[in-house]
Amino acid sequence: MQKKWWNDKVAYQIYPKSFCDTNGDGIGDLRGVISKLDYLKELGIDIVWLSPIYQSPFVDQGYDISDYYKIAEEFGTMEEFDELLAEAKKRDMYIVMDLVVNHCSDKHEWFQKALEDPDGEYADYFYFVKGKDGKAPSNARGYFGGSAWEPVPGTDKYYLHMFAKEQPDLNWENPTVRQKIYEMVNWWLDKGLAGFRIDAIINIKKDLAFPSFEPDGPDGLVSGVKMIESAQGIGEFLEELKQETFEKYDAFTVGEVFNMKEEELAEFVGDDGHFSTMFDFSAHELTFGEHGWYDAKPIEFNSWKDIIFTSQKKMENVGFLANIIENHDEPRGASRYLQEHAQNDKGKKMLATTSVLLRGIPFLFQGQEIGMTNCKREHISEYNDINTIDQYQVALEAGLSEEEALKCCYENSRDNARTPMQWSDGDNAGFTTGTPWLAVNANYKQINVAEQENREDSVLNYYRELIALRKKEEYKDTFTYGEFVPAYETEKDLFAYMRVDKESGQKILIAANFGKEPCTITLEDGVKQVLLSNLAKEEMVSGEAVKNHKITLESCESVVILL
Ligand code: NOJ
């Protein structure tokens, strides 16, 4: 595999609306991001990915862009953005933006012009398709519920929207659209952006026959994914996109890719792949219910471990995945992957250890580093997310009570990750002096940066230590390029693997006991040094805990050992 500049980097996702508000309007802003760069640097972050900051009506929180060349005024100005780039550069950090080009906002000039003249040039920027027998062209359901087709007023046509009706899909078959997208991407890269996280990208290739399929729900519709799966040839679009833009700048790109055809793995993220990397969503996908959140499956330890191990192994000799435990579309990892007995600082540090030292690019999501958790709400009106509101309805229609439907939201809602960053135990968690756009999680008095900053054994300080270890000169190559080798696979509730550098022979064991009972393992190789212990027990750190080649990990204990 070819080595690339981003291979050894650690990334952090900022959800700008909820990160840090400096002007008291209750919405995070770019000044807030700038003010926290030193905090991120100290944490060990190299790459900062900003969820969309473009001009937007915010129907889907900025994933509906009405002008790709403007910064949303809620977030600040282009001058502030330039300042952010410059400040990041001073600190050897890289800024990555969100690239949302499967769709735009219905308020985008292109769509407005298309509506004005549904037979004109701009209509062809979108999928304006004639209905069948007075109905939509197909029975595809959008990701946020309801038909994926919306009538074009005054015509017998419908336009396609895989997400909300305010997010019309752009027609990638139209070469002019593609050129305009490339121009825009290059305009941002020319500014000094390091790359992009690429939104919903698998959706850009449609099956132009727009077939209907067997309905999968009482609404007579079928998941739009079916149509995407039947489309062929996305690779041509993705290659062109790469060659016309990213490649020229040696940019870093991370794809949001669901439903990829397995045999296309190397084409997507191999040496000459369409993207630098893509997120490993396999653990998230494990929870997918057949019909929605109301039949979502809880995480079961063995399946969770197996699926991560499978992802790791399939990437060997191919490339890197981007490893996450949460993001702005998922509940908090500490609430989802840790069982009740482990939902504490020990457990959070243990989860951090197993995730950050995997092979691939670690992506932290804001608040993960202090162990933020899911947020309880009393009523559906307290949620803002469009997806949550839809899923709540779906649950009610399936016969769940309001209380049960609310529980589904507590477990799955995207708003769990979107509550304001908890900076302190002051008003509104120190996020804003105004009224936050989304209420803070009530646990901010206990979980916040200020409290953890100076407490030696805090989750935050552990993340700092963990990332520093990953980057330490002596171990960097092993953690970056070393092979991933599963260890002690039959040991109940143990998540253990080795990172092995074939060239130097260096071997590092990562072992974490997710169970309730202690777990003893035999170390075949001699222990050179215990590099990290989440409980910081004296006998563990000194290596005295290793007796007769055996080591016992108590519940929620993790260790990193140089063998
Ligand atoms: C994926 C984004 O992460 C999500 O937040 C958004 O709703 C959809 N794509 C649509 O852009």
Side-chain angles (χ1 to χ4, degrees), residues 29 499 501:
D29 45 46
R499 300 298 312 278
D501 183 352

Side-chain angles (χ1 to χ4, degrees), residues 326-427:
E326 62 200 39
N327 65 24
H328 67 295
D329 290 332
E330 298 182 20
R332 290 285 181 177
S335 303
R336 183 192 243 184
Y337 300 117
L338 295 173
Q339 286 174 25
E340 223 171 300
H341 73 271
Q343 294 197 358
N344 48 42
D345 282 8
K346 288 190 209 173
K348 288 171 186 178
K349 293 176 190 173
M350 168 177 74
L351 181 61
T353 314
T354 54
S355 167
V356 167
L357 299 181
L358 289 172
R359 187 174 169 283
I361 315 298
F363 266 75
L364 271 60
F365 177 72
Q366 66 183 45
Q368 174 184 333
E369 75 278 20
I370 54 168
M372 281 178 65
T373 65
N374 282 358
C375 178
K376 274 231 161 70
R377 303 293 196 201
E378 299 303 323
H379 193 264
I380 186 65
S381 59
E382 292 170 55
Y383 284 98
N384 171 291
D385 169 36
I386 185 171
N387 196 17
T388 305
I389 291 158
D390 172 54
Q391 286 297 323
Y392 178 77
Q393 279 309 326
V394 171
L396 291 183
E397 278 155 31
L400 275 74
S401 68
E402 286 182 8
E403 204 185 339
E404 289 163 339
L406 213 54
K407 184 165 175 274
C408 297
C409 299
Y410 172 56
E411 283 161 5
N412 298 285
S413 174
R414 308 198 298 178
D415 276 354
N416 280 311
R418 297 176 181 187
T419 59
M421 177 72 185
Q422 294 166 200
W423 293 108
S424 74
D425 66 359
D427 288 350

Side-chain angles (χ1 to χ4, degrees), residues 301 304 337-338 341 350-351 354 493-495 512-516:
F301 178 78
W304 173 61
Y337 300 117
L338 295 173
H341 73 271
M350 168 177 74
L351 181 61
T354 54
D493 297 328
L494 189 74
F495 194 117
N513 177 9
F514 278 72
K516 285 188 190 160

Side-chain angles (χ1 to χ4, degrees), residues 60 63 103 144 163 197 199-200 256 328-329 414 418:
D60 184 21
Y63 284 90
H103 46 268
F144 298 151
F163 294 88
R197 173 267 186 185
D199 186 70
E256 188 207 23
H328 67 295
D329 290 332
R414 308 198 298 178
R418 297 176 181 187

